[in-house]
Amino acid sequence: MKKNNGGKKASKHFIEILEHYGVKHAFGNPGTTELPIINAIEQSEINYIMTLHEDIAVGAASGYSSMMRYYSQTNSEITPLTLVNLHTTPGVAHGIGNLYGAWFAGTPLLITSGSQSPQHEKRGPSLSGDRCHLVEKYTKWATKITTPTEISETTRKAARIALTPPTGPVYIDIPWNIQKADIDQKPLPLGQIPKLGNPPQKQIEKTVEYLENSLEPVIIVGDQVARTSKTAVQHIGELSENIGARVHGEILMSEKSYPTEHENCVSLLPTKASEIKKLLKTDTILLIGCTTNVPFYDYETPLIPENTKTIQIGYDALELGKNYNCDIALHGNLQKTLKQLKNKTKNLFDKQELKKRKKQIKKTKKQINNKRQMKHPPSPNNKPTKLEVVQELKKTIKNEIVVDEGVTAGFILRCELPIGHGQLLGIKSGGLGYGLPAAVGAAIAEETTGNNRKTIAYIGDGSYMYYPQTLYTAQRYLNKGISIIIINNKGYKILRNANILNQTGTKPLHITKHNNIPKNAETHNFKTQKTKNKNKLKKQLKQTIKTNENTLLEIMVHDP
């Protein structure tokens, strides 16, 4: 039952609009200039999730929105639109780190903040500033409401912009005096969100012609595929089967966009340009739904040879041909486009040719797996390697969700873990401090939808120390709990290997040398364990994951 506050303030009207649009949760860190909105949330059906830092609020909202987006693919009654409420200028500034992460994740967040009245802000009091300017780079739209009557139209516009592919965050600044103003309006209908159709048929036919003439086609898939539908992911496997194509995930693929079990699906692309070039030295490449297929570090010669036929497919026109030569650009609905290509490539090649291509794919896959094994030799003192941790996880995880911010450890997990559609969320922007809040948000989404799959946060020791107070929110709001697995290599691996930048390698930065992660987690009533013995790993992983309690396992890994 909704409570009645006895009046219709603009803040109440704003929240009523979001209820009308199906928003279920608001994430925030409360402040004085937002109190009217917070009060309105308390008098509504929207659940307010309090965090102890604004960046945690944004990260948790993004993880929640990512999971709700998966459920919205099969249930139109569910919306991924999620409210975030930040505290004026410093709060907005605090949230920019994970706003950057949400921008890369493409999550439809409606971010708001309160502010002092425009008249008073002109005097330059504390907390004042140009908040729209702060966020405009990493939002699809940023605006400030100047009169109460703008709320209905502005909120509808913001919601539609956030939800229209390519989806992403938007921002509305709502001054304190406007929140408290009286208003007599009804919510405007959201209306149908536009969806792309099929690309021009001539382009489809040209693509089929290129594929028919290909000798060793390679498919690179990005997160847009997973964000489209489970069917789109399945089409990737079927298309690769039809044309005998090797399949890789794009650099920093953070959602499972290819069917793990399919034998043509090899691995994610590595992050080093020299290694990428070897895998892309071929005659025909399809880039499907890619957004971050760029190495960490600069390179000189092109990643894709100039004479390679390159086809790019996606729903964001700005990504097509952005960094690579694009012989054909297919801008449209991914599921519909892939279905057409799948159907039109049946019987292009005889069984003997496909068998030959599959044999070569198997050989490449074996070489990549062997190289991964060589990079992670067993420890002389029985410590588990990062690869051994993932291999043990493979035996433990069934339908659980994994949110990965392992940084150097995460690449192995995303390549090795045989998980399905909607089971993986990972850091995509490169900015740390996103994974742990996103995992809590994902867990809240699971409880909201009644699916109640356990969420596992797979986090590096340095990443954990960004926002350990995230555990407060997990302990306060989760019924089923969350499992946190800390991969502790006692150092900042990327800086340890700084010779990649032609610099002298640094000594390991002992981020957690003077910190006790399990003790920290215990202050939030988490049950904790710590191990450096791989023989105990199986039992400890099971104890950490197969429970409805909040748990943390710190694993000291061998990582030379």
Side-chain angles (χ1 to χ4, degrees):
M1 286 287 294
K2 294 183 182 180
K3 303 170 190 175
N4 189 345
N5 71 346
K8 183 69 172 288
K9 298 294 183 183
S11 56
K12 179 179 174 66
H13 178 56
F14 173 67
I15 296 303
E16 283 180 347
I17 295 170
L18 297 182
E19 283 187 287
H20 188 64
Y21 295 165
V23 173
K24 300 296 183 186
H25 283 85
F27 295 79
N29 181 266
T32 51
T33 53
E34 294 74 37
L35 284 178
I37 286 178
I38 294 170
N39 288 337
I41 293 171
E42 290 295 311
Q43 294 155 5
S44 75
E45 297 293 342
I46 294 176
N47 297 298
Y48 184 80
I49 306 296
M50 189 169 79
T51 67
L52 299 185
H53 192 285
E54 287 88 352
D55 213 27
I56 298 173
V58 179
S62 188
Y64 170 87
S65 178
S66 291
M67 288 311 304
M68 295 300 277
R69 175 165 53 199
Y70 280 117
Y71 289 116
S72 72
Q73 291 173 1
T74 54
N75 185 347
S76 60
E77 298 297 314
I78 292 175
T79 180
L81 185 67
T82 305
L83 177 62
V84 182
N85 189 236
L86 306 179
H87 179 42
T88 194
T89 310
V92 170
H94 285 163
I96 285 177
N98 280 336
L99 172 59
Y100 182 73
W103 175 255
F104 274 82
T107 43
L109 306 184
L110 200 164
I111 301 172
T112 61
S113 71
S115 58
Q116 291 146 327
S117 68
Q119 179 181 347
H120 188 49
E121 275 222 317
K122 289 177 181 177
R123 300 178 179 126
S126 61
L127 305 180
S128 62
D130 188 346
R131 291 160 294 281
C132 287
H133 180 67
L134 282 177
V135 302
E136 62 185 358
K137 178 66 177 176
Y138 301 110
T139 54
K140 292 181 70 178
W141 188 49
T143 190
K144 182 174 183 175
I145 290 178
T146 56
T147 65
T149 54
E150 293 176 36
I151 288 178
S152 294
E153 287 188 5
T154 300
T155 306
R156 178 174 68 173
K157 180 178 178 180
R160 289 184 62 82
I161 290 172
L163 290 166
T164 299
T167 56
V170 293
Y171 171 78
I172 304 176
D173 184 348
I174 311 177
W176 163 271
N177 61 311
I178 289 176
Q179 294 177 46
K180 296 188 295 178
D182 294 320
I183 192 170
D184 184 18
Q185 288 184 346
K186 292 181 179 180
L188 296 172
L190 180 62
Q192 186 178 25
I193 300 300
K195 294 182 179 179
L196 288 169
N198 289 317
Q201 199 60 33
K202 284 185 179 180
Q203 289 182 306
I204 293 285
E205 297 297 341
K206 190 69 175 176
T207 299
V208 174
E209 181 185 324
Y210 277 13
L211 296 176
E212 187 174 14
N213 294 324
S214 65
L215 298 175
E216 190 184 356
V218 171
I219 296 174
I220 303 168
V221 294
D223 292 326
Q224 286 182 6
V225 180
R227 294 173 194 172
T228 296
S229 67
K230 184 177 181 179
T231 302
V233 175
Q234 291 168 342
H235 286 340
I236 293 291
E238 293 162 338
L239 176 61
S240 73
E241 185 76 22
N242 288 350
I243 62 175
R246 171 164 41 97
V247 180
H248 293 277
E250 70 172 326
I251 302 164
L252 286 179
M253 186 183 79
S254 62
E255 302 179 48
K256 208 68 176 181
S257 287
Y258 59 74
T260 309
E261 71 284 355
H262 199 287
E263 56 188 341
N264 286 9
C265 298
V266 175
S267 70
L268 270 69
L269 287 178
T271 56
K272 289 184 181 179
S274 58
E275 296 176 3
I276 297 168
K277 289 174 186 177
K278 292 177 184 177
L279 293 171
L280 301 188
K281 193 176 181 180
T282 187
D283 67 315
T284 307
I285 293 178
L286 285 83
L287 294 114
I288 306 175
C290 295
T291 58
T292 56
N293 199 49
V294 180
F296 284 168
Y297 305 111
D298 197 5
Y299 56 94
E300 293 181 4
T301 58
L303 295 181
I304 299 175
E306 291 181 4
N307 60 344
T308 297
K309 296 293 185 185
T310 305
I311 303 146
Q312 295 197 40
I313 306 171
Y315 56 65
D316 185 353
L318 295 179
E319 293 293 337
L320 304 179
K322 184 175 73 174
N323 293 317
Y324 309 107
N325 174 51
C326 186
D327 294 290
I328 300 175
L330 296 175
H331 179 229
N333 181 287
L334 276 174
Q335 182 175 314
K336 292 180 179 179
T337 304
L338 288 169
K339 183 179 180 179
Q340 282 204 66
L341 290 175
K342 177 199 73 170
N343 291 337
K344 289 179 179 292
T345 54
K346 286 179 181 177
N347 305 317
L348 276 186
F349 303 100
D350 59 39
K351 290 182 180 179
Q352 187 175 355
E353 175 63 22
L354 290 174
K355 185 178 179 180
K356 185 181 78 173
R357 293 184 179 193
K358 191 163 284 189
K359 184 178 179 181
Q360 182 59 44
I361 292 169
K362 189 176 180 179
K363 181 181 176 181
T364 303
K365 190 171 186 175
K366 186 177 180 180
Q367 289 171 343
I368 290 172
N369 289 341
N370 288 343
K371 190 172 183 180
R372 195 177 299 140
Q373 290 278 356
M374 290 174 62
K375 282 185 176 180
H376 301 90
S379 164
N381 56 12
N382 218 35
K383 270 187 179 181
T385 64
K386 293 182 289 189
L387 181 59
E388 287 170 335
V389 172
V390 172
Q391 289 172 337
E392 204 60 61
L393 269 174
K394 288 166 70 173
K395 304 172 189 175
T396 308
I397 290 175
K398 302 299 180 187
N399 71 333
E400 291 87 355
I401 296 164
V402 179
V403 180
D404 164 43
E405 190 171 286
V407 191
T408 54
F411 179 82
I412 305 166
L413 179 131
R414 298 183 204 192
C415 289
E416 292 268 341
L417 211 59
I419 55 180
H421 183 68
Q423 277 187 268
L424 173 69
L425 298 176
I427 181 175
K428 192 169 183 67
S429 68
L432 303 185
Y434 179 85
L436 192 55
V440 172
I444 291 171
E446 283 299 295
E447 294 190 4
T448 300
T449 56
N451 289 278
N452 291 312
R453 293 179 295 175
K454 189 67 179 288
T455 301
I456 300 165
Y458 185 80
I459 308 291
D461 54 318
S463 295
Y464 174 86
M465 294 309 297
Y466 271 74
Y467 297 124
Q469 69 268 44
T470 303
L471 274 60
Y472 162 86
T473 302
Q475 182 63 28
R476 178 167 177 174
Y477 295 104
L478 294 178
N479 295 315
K480 188 160 184 175
I482 188 172
S483 297
I484 302 172
I485 296 171
I486 304 294
I487 305 300
N488 192 338
N489 62 356
K490 287 190 173 181
Y492 202 152
K493 183 66 180 285
I494 291 177
L495 294 188
R496 189 190 306 175
N497 294 343
N499 60 321
I500 199 168
L501 296 173
N502 298 318
Q503 298 173 3
T504 303
T506 63
K507 293 180 179 179
L509 300 179
H510 292 287
I511 297 169
T512 50
K513 184 177 181 180
H514 305 292
N515 295 291
N516 189 320
I517 289 177
K519 288 293 184 184
N520 174 273
E522 286 166 12
T523 65
H524 295 286
N525 295 321
F526 271 62
K527 289 194 172 182
T528 68
Q529 295 185 76
K530 183 174 182 176
T531 188
K532 57 181 179 180
N533 187 337
K534 65 182 177 184
N535 296 329
K536 296 180 180 180
L537 197 55
K538 179 179 179 180
K539 181 180 179 181
Q540 290 178 310
L541 281 171
K542 188 174 181 180
Q543 290 172 338
T544 299
I545 295 169
K546 304 299 181 180
T547 174
N548 288 339
E549 298 181 283
N550 285 311
T551 56
L552 180 145
L553 171 62
E554 183 180 21
I555 304 173
M556 310 303 293
V557 294
H558 174 65
D559 189 25

